[in-house]
Amino acid sequence: MSFFVENDFKEFERCQPGSHLARCYRIIDVGTHKSEFKGVVKSLRKIRFFWEIHGTNDEDMPILMEDGRPFSVMKEYTLSWATLSNLRTDLQSWRGKAFTDEEMEKFDLETVLGAWCMLNIIESKGKNGNIYSNVDGVSPIPSMLKNNKPSPVNKNEIFNISDRDMVMFETFSDNLKKKIEASPEWNPVTKENSKSTFNSQPPQRMDEPDDDIPF
């Protein structure tokens, strides 16, 4: 799934490709949308993960936007625990360990906020001819970096349609706002259908937690 620093059809800066240290700082509930695959149309709940990039270039200088801020990159997922789903695949690769059935039953996505990882970023051309950056892999950070991580820049945020933070919503791009508002969960009339699939309980630790696992 392509991701980019959304700027509503204006020129935008792209993070250079490569393997970069990153931190997840934002998760957004985008709502349910129709997707077509091999001629089959399905209505699927979507979420987006956002990371801030703390990488360096070939000269070992920090990769920053022109205004000095770290790049922000995004990937959209279908909210699914299916065996081959991108969400499950990336989360398991990120933590370096497969989920047990018990963990999947009580896993709270909010536990991912603030977690560090390595993002493999590649460039590809979109259908509109523009070049975009894409997350091509998520993995744990090397041991040598675990006690030497840089300071976070963005605050941790999660947007849930069923308990919407309108102040946070107003910080989204116009395109993202329109997509969320087009979901059936946004309409108050369908309130029963807008119940969140996020776990509303505080993050839970598994028995005998492994300190090397980020979440």
Side-chain angles (χ1 to χ4, degrees):
M1 170 60 70
S2 296
F3 70 84
F4 51 93
V5 183
E6 295 193 33
N7 206 15
D8 298 322
F9 304 108
K10 299 177 182 179
E11 287 293 325
F12 57 87
E13 301 175 68
R14 295 193 307 275
C15 179
Q16 69 181 57
S19 181
H20 302 304
L21 178 66
R23 187 184 71 89
C24 180
Y25 71 92
R26 176 179 272 188
I27 299 176
I28 295 178
D29 176 11
V30 184
T32 299
H33 300 272
K34 291 183 178 180
S35 298
E36 182 175 349
F37 181 69
K38 294 183 178 180
V40 178
V41 177
K42 293 183 178 181
S43 293
L44 303 171
R45 190 69 173 262
K46 301 289 184 177
I47 58 171
R48 291 184 179 184
F49 282 10
F50 289 75
W51 293 268
E52 59 185 34
I53 298 295
H54 292 268
T56 56
N57 58 24
D58 294 337
E59 286 73 42
D60 203 31
M61 297 297 291
I63 298 173
L64 299 171
M65 295 192 295
E66 291 183 356
D67 62 6
R69 293 179 298 139
F71 282 91
S72 176
V73 297
M74 176 273 289
K75 184 172 183 179
E76 184 170 287
Y77 295 94
T78 295
L79 195 59
S80 168
W81 277 129
T83 304
L84 298 180
S85 71
N86 289 331
L87 178 63
R88 181 171 175 177
T89 297
D90 278 1
L91 287 177
Q92 290 187 148
S93 175
W94 186 347
R95 73 200 299 255
K97 180 181 179 181
F99 287 104
T100 65
D101 291 341
E102 179 186 10
E103 287 174 327
M104 287 189 292
E105 286 179 359
K106 56 182 179 179
F107 184 74
D108 187 345
L109 281 178
E110 192 169 354
T111 61
V112 179
L113 285 174
W116 292 82
C117 66
M118 299 300 296
L119 287 184
N120 187 39
I121 299 175
I122 63 174
E123 290 184 342
S124 64
K125 182 179 292 188
K127 294 180 179 180
N128 57 6
N130 292 334
I131 301 298
Y132 297 99
S133 297
N134 298 283
V135 170
D136 191 49
V138 188
S139 59
I141 65 174
S143 299
M144 67 179 67
L145 294 178
K146 290 182 178 179
N147 296 319
N148 192 32
K149 296 188 292 291
S151 299
V153 175
N154 296 289
K155 67 178 181 179
N156 295 341
E157 297 179 311
I158 188 166
F159 181 80
N160 192 323
I161 291 180
S162 64
D163 186 21
R164 60 195 71 164
D165 180 342
M166 295 306 297
V167 174
M168 181 179 173
F169 181 79
E170 290 303 319
T171 68
F172 299 162
S173 70
D174 289 342
N175 284 344
L176 179 53
K177 289 178 183 177
K178 290 176 182 178
K179 181 162 185 175
I180 294 173
E181 290 171 339
S183 70
E185 290 83 6
W186 185 261
N187 190 334
V189 175
T190 61
K191 184 176 180 181
E192 188 63 30
N193 295 327
S194 68
K195 291 181 178 179
S196 172
T197 50
F198 293 145
N199 189 337
S200 60
Q201 300 301 317
Q204 301 182 49
R205 295 291 297 271
M206 301 297 112
D207 294 335
E208 300 180 359
D210 187 337
D211 291 338
D212 288 335
I213 298 177
F215 48 81

